[in-house]
């Protein structure tokens, strides 16, 4: 293939294919730089506070400071007509009860840094009309803005393929296009995504570009191979060329990308995730030496891809921790609660970790699987890190069964069991968006997405207790199928409401399936409601906006209105519904409240 590389100028006299694809990569890099430049003001505002440098990067254990006795908290006593649901549950039965008394603001908070977080409006708030257009959903969880990014990407590669060339007659050009995509595909496949760090997006938010770039790489590689196979067949040199070592390695490289594409199909991802994952790891590693043996002159692209993936694995190793964890089942929610009290710092609200359970009870290879779970608690709390794992597939079912069959252990006298886990992270999260910098926060969640809302609310209240929050109003909308799902979380939700003195918290739970024995509404604490039917998100958003504008009785009423943030986490389609509601808000009301920004977890 060396002769083919050297003849690049002869096939397209006016265009050097190697330089062309290099310039295409530079263009894509500049385009990414533009996005990073637009997010720079928010990044500067976020990291202007020293505390932000310590959160969201490396998990760690720190000693917690004990505070002085707290002033009276917001009352959430139930009506005297009967015992409350929370009173009928012990902490072990609920698996969720922990005192939040450490969140109450007191004079010592000023010593810890009584400064409000700076707020920089996102571009979606500055140009809402344009943002609404880009936010329009073409498909579930796929917006017009994402489609526009992929369209620009596609046009750039098509331009490279057709500029003074015909990809069906000039297979060398398509080969160079495929090579130019190798570092990009590897970069977007990493968990510690350098591009995402600068833009302020987690790897999971850029995964759609990775899949698209990978597909283009596969298409270009196959066009490149088929073009040469056709030429060899016409020239009657196929048998001669196929025996050459460089050509053999070419087919090895082609087989790796085609197999990766095959095992990336939704069928394999859903039904045989382990096959998808392990095939990706093995084939990713095999592809680089194979393509280098095919064309040694492309070593800069191979070295770049190898460096990117090696750096990612090194950082992942540095972000990995091994701890003993307590696992407990929550039957009403079909969840497994994982508690790691020793691990209590290093993450931000909304971030997730990848979990491995190092136990033979998880199966032959189950102990080697890692699965992502959103952290359900804020950092620097006595309960440490808590994960709520929904029982959905084979792995999570084994975890739930392992927690259920444990029963009461005689040595510890507590329900559940202790297992060793490997935690990697944190990843994802709100990026440069700081929830505590807004005037109001709404969290719309469904099912196990309540973990996101719990950590976000707890973080806001914790910051508020330190005088480091602008939030005046907090609303949580939780949609569940069965009203019984509320029962095990009542103690924790009541405790959060009790601490929301300076930032009033209201939690609305909506269930869509009829229940024979729903929890008694009369015994729910003030601020926590249970309603049948789907939530009216537009009505809640309108009420929050009105309250944010007219709020005048709180000690923070003199602050400028800094907008409303809407956090979403739940089943597919929930984000689409919320995005549609936000796009229908009147422009004048949106401007009066300081803008509406949406974060989808």
């Amino acid at each position: 293939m060396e002769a083919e590389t050297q003849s690049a100028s002869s096939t397209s006299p006016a265009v050097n294919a190697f330089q062309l694809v290099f310039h295409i990569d530079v263009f894509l890099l500049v385009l990414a730089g533009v996005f990073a430049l637009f997010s720079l003001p928010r990044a500067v505002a976020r990291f202007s506070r020293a505390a932000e440098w310590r959160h969201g990067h490396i998990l760690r254990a720190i000693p917690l400071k004990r505070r002085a006795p707290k002033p009276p908290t917001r009352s959430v006593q139930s009506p005297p007509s009967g015992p409350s649901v929370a009173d009928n549950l012990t902490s072990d039965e609920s698996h969720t009860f922990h005192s939040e008394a450490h969140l109450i603001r007191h004079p010592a908070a000023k010593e810890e840094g009584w400064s409000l977080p700076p707020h920089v409006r996102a571009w979606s708030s500055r140009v809402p009309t344009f943002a609404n257009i880009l936010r329009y959903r073409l498909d579930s969880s796929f917006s017009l803005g994402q489609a526009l990014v992929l369209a620009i990407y596609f046009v750039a590669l098509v331009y490279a393929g057709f500029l003074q060339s015909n990809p069906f007659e000039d297979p060398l050009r398509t080969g160079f296009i495929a090579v130019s995509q190798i570092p990009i595909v590897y970069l977007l496949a990493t968990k510690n995504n350098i591009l995402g760090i600068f833009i302020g997006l987690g790897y999971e938010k850029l995964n759609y570009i990775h899949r698209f770039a990978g597909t283009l790489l596969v298409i270009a590689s196959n066009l490149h191979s088929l073009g040469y196979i056709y030429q060899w067949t016409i020239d009657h040199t196929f048998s001669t060329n196929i025996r050459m070592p460089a050509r053999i390695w070419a087919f090895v490289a082609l087989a790796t990308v085609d197999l990766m594409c095959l095992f990336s199909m939704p069928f394999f991802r859903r039904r045989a995730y382990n096959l998808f994952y392990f095939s990706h790891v093995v084939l990713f590693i095999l592809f680089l030496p194979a393509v280098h043996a095919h064309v040694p002159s492309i070593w800069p692209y191979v070295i770049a891809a190898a460096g990117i993936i090696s750096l990612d694995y090194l950082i992942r190793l540095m972000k990995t921790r091994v701890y003993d964890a307590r696992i407990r089942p929550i039957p009403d929610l079909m969840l497994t609660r994982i508690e790691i009290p020793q691990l209590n710092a290093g993450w931000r609200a909304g971030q997730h970790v990848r979990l491995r359970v190092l136990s033979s009870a998880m199966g032959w290879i189950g102990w080697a699987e890692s699965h992502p779970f959103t952290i359900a608690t804020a950092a620097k709390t006595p309960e440490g890190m808590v994960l709520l794992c929904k029982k959905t597939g084979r792995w999570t079912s084994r975890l739930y069964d392992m927690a259920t069959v444990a029963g009461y252990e005689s040595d510890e006298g507590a329900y559940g069991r202790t297992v060793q886990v490997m935690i990697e992270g944190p990843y994802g999260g709100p990026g440069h968006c700081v929830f505590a910098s807004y005037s109001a926060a709404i969290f719309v969640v469904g099912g196990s997405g309540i973990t996101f809302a719990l950590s976000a609310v707890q973080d806001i209240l914790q910051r508020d207790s330190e005088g480091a929050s602008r939030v005046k109003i907090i609303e949580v909308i939780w949609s569940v199928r069965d009203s019984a799902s509320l029962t095990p979380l009542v103690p924790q939700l009541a405790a959060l409401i009790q601490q929301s003195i300076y930032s009033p918290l209201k939690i609305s739970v909506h269930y869509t399936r009829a229940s024979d024995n729903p929890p008694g509404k009369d015994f729910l604490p003030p601020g926590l409601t249970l309603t049948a039917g789907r939530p009216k998100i537009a009505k809640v958003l309108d009420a929050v906006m009105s309250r944010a504008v007219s709020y005048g009785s709180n000690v923070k009423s003199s602050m400028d209105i800094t907008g409303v943030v809407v956090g979403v986490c739940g089943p597919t389609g929930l984000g689409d519904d919320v995005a549609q509601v936000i796009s229908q808000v009147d422009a004048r009301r949106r401007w009066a409240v300081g803008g509406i920004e949406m974060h989808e977890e």
Side-chain angles (χ1 to χ4, degrees):
M1 196 65 178
E2 291 83 354
E4 294 165 355
T5 305
Q6 294 173 358
S7 64
S9 60
S10 63
T11 56
S12 300
V15 178
N16 184 301
F18 192 87
Q19 291 184 1
L20 174 63
V21 296
F22 174 75
H23 291 152
I24 290 297
D25 280 352
V26 171
F27 166 75
L28 295 176
L29 182 63
V30 170
L31 188 63
V34 171
F35 281 95
L37 187 63
F38 277 109
S39 65
L40 183 61
R42 287 164 66 87
V44 172
R46 173 192 166 192
F47 288 109
S48 63
R49 294 173 58 85
E52 289 295 334
W53 292 89
R54 301 191 296 270
H55 302 312
H57 311 295
I58 299 292
L59 300 174
R60 60 188 189 278
I62 62 173
L64 298 179
K65 297 180 180 179
R66 304 305 300 177
R67 294 180 174 177
K70 312 302 185 292
T73 60
R74 176 182 172 187
S75 174
V76 292
Q77 297 298 324
S78 302
S81 56
S84 68
V85 176
D87 292 336
N88 292 332
L89 294 174
T90 65
S91 59
D92 282 337
E93 289 171 339
S94 69
H95 313 306
T96 57
F97 182 76
H98 286 272
S99 173
E100 307 294 336
H102 63 287
L103 295 180
I104 294 299
R105 179 185 296 170
H106 59 94
K110 189 172 183 179
E111 300 175 2
E112 301 176 8
W114 192 298
S115 60
L116 298 175
H119 179 79
V120 176
R121 296 176 64 181
W123 289 102
S124 59
S125 293
R126 298 178 184 274
V127 284
T129 303
F130 185 60
N132 289 337
I133 296 175
L134 295 180
R135 196 183 289 123
Y136 178 78
R137 302 301 172 106
L138 300 176
D139 196 5
S140 181
S141 300
F142 185 71
S143 67
L144 180 61
Q146 291 174 311
L148 182 60
V149 170
L150 299 185
I152 295 174
Y153 198 116
F154 179 73
V155 169
L157 295 193
V158 169
Y159 170 80
F162 283 90
L163 179 63
Q164 299 185 22
S165 174
N166 185 338
F168 302 102
E169 298 177 357
D170 183 10
L172 181 60
R173 178 72 67 85
T174 54
F176 274 113
I177 292 175
V179 167
S180 71
Q181 297 308 293
I182 294 175
I184 298 176
V185 172
Y186 275 69
L187 173 65
L188 295 172
T190 58
K191 294 293 185 290
N192 301 281
N193 196 306
I194 300 176
L195 176 62
I197 292 174
F198 284 101
I199 297 180
L201 295 175
Y203 71 90
E204 73 281 1
K205 300 292 176 54
L206 298 174
N207 188 256
Y208 75 100
I209 307 179
H210 165 70
R211 296 194 301 269
F212 186 75
T215 302
L216 294 181
L217 188 152
V218 171
I219 293 174
S221 298
N222 281 273
L223 287 176
H224 171 71
S225 301
L226 292 174
Y228 275 107
I229 291 174
Y230 176 76
Q231 287 185 3
W232 297 338
T233 303
I234 295 297
D235 298 337
H236 304 287
T237 60
F238 180 82
S239 59
T240 302
N241 280 281
I242 201 65
R243 294 189 182 95
M244 298 177 64
R247 308 299 194 268
I248 295 174
W249 282 112
F251 283 101
V252 172
L254 180 65
T256 59
V257 295
D258 284 344
L259 287 174
M260 279 191 284
C261 182
L262 173 65
F263 293 135
S264 297
M265 296 177 65
F267 173 83
F268 290 101
R269 291 178 66 95
R270 289 195 305 264
R271 300 186 175 230
Y273 182 83
N274 288 331
L275 178 61
F276 154 76
Y277 177 77
F278 289 111
S279 65
H280 248 58
V281 172
V282 174
L283 296 174
F284 246 53
I285 297 174
L286 178 60
F287 173 71
L288 292 181
V291 74
H292 180 263
H294 172 49
V295 186
S297 61
I298 64 170
W299 64 266
Y301 290 91
V302 175
I303 293 297
I308 289 170
I309 203 71
S310 299
L311 178 62
D312 176 62
Y313 276 101
L314 177 61
I315 297 176
R316 291 175 68 173
L317 181 62
M318 295 172 57
K319 299 175 75 168
T320 300
R321 302 288 185 269
V322 178
Y323 281 97
D324 288 333
R326 189 77 181 172
I327 61 173
R328 306 177 180 183
I330 306 180
D332 289 333
L333 290 171
M334 296 303 289
L335 293 173
T336 304
R337 178 182 171 93
I338 302 178
E339 304 169 353
I340 314 173
Q342 310 96 310
L343 195 58
N344 57 13
W347 70 86
R348 299 178 65 204
Q351 287 191 304
H352 69 269
V353 294
R354 301 192 67 86
L355 172 73
R356 284 184 175 89
V357 178
L358 307 180
S359 172
S360 58
M362 299 301 294
W364 287 99
I365 61 174
W367 61 270
E369 295 183 33
S370 66
H371 294 260
F373 296 102
T374 302
I375 304 172
T377 52
K380 298 189 297 183
T381 59
E383 55 189 322
M385 177 181 288
V386 174
L387 306 175
L388 299 179
C389 309
K390 179 73 173 178
K391 180 183 176 181
T392 55
R394 177 185 54 82
W395 189 89
T396 50
S397 295
R398 287 181 177 176
L399 178 63
Y400 182 85
D401 293 340
M402 184 170 59
T404 303
V405 301
Y408 285 91
E409 296 183 351
S410 57
D411 57 337
E412 300 182 32
Y415 192 63
R417 64 180 293 181
T418 300
V419 297
Q420 193 172 63
V421 298
M422 182 179 291
I423 299 291
E424 178 194 326
Y427 297 118
H432 300 320
C433 172
V434 179
F435 294 145
S437 69
Y438 296 84
S439 294
I442 304 175
F443 299 99
V444 184
V445 297
S448 59
I450 187 63
T451 56
F452 165 64
L454 289 175
S455 62
V457 170
Q458 193 176 37
D459 179 69
I460 291 175
L461 296 179
Q462 185 180 71
R463 288 171 180 257
D464 194 48
S465 70
E466 299 169 355
S469 173
R470 296 177 180 270
V471 178
K472 305 172 184 177
I473 305 160
I474 308 174
E475 287 266 358
V476 175
I477 303 174
W478 183 25
S479 297
V480 293
R481 292 182 179 179
D482 194 339
S483 59
S485 300
L486 172 62
T487 304
L489 290 182
V490 167
Q492 186 174 12
L493 299 179
L496 290 174
I497 294 173
Q498 187 179 23
Q499 309 310 316
S500 60
I501 300 176
Y502 305 102
S503 301
L505 168 64
K506 181 181 178 182
I507 303 174
S508 304
V509 182
H510 298 260
Y511 62 95
T512 57
R513 180 182 297 173
S515 176
D516 296 333
N517 187 26
K521 300 181 182 180
D522 295 337
F523 304 131
L524 295 177
L528 176 60
T529 60
L530 180 64
T531 308
R534 297 184 179 275
K536 298 179 180 179
I537 302 174
K539 184 177 180 180
V540 174
L541 177 59
D542 182 76
V544 168
M545 292 173 60
S546 300
R547 290 170 61 195
V549 172
S550 62
Y551 203 88
S553 60
N554 192 273
V555 295
K556 296 177 289 185
S557 60
S558 60
M559 298 187 304
D560 295 333
I561 299 177
T562 54
V564 178
V565 61
V566 182
V568 184
C569 183
T572 303
L574 180 61
D576 301 341
D577 296 338
V578 176
Q580 183 177 6
V581 169
I582 293 176
S583 64
Q584 295 174 348
V585 176
D586 182 71
R588 290 175 296 180
R589 296 209 63 199
R590 184 193 301 266
W591 186 262
V593 81
I596 305 174
E597 299 178 22
M598 174 179 168
H599 169 74
E600 189 171 0
E601 187 61 30

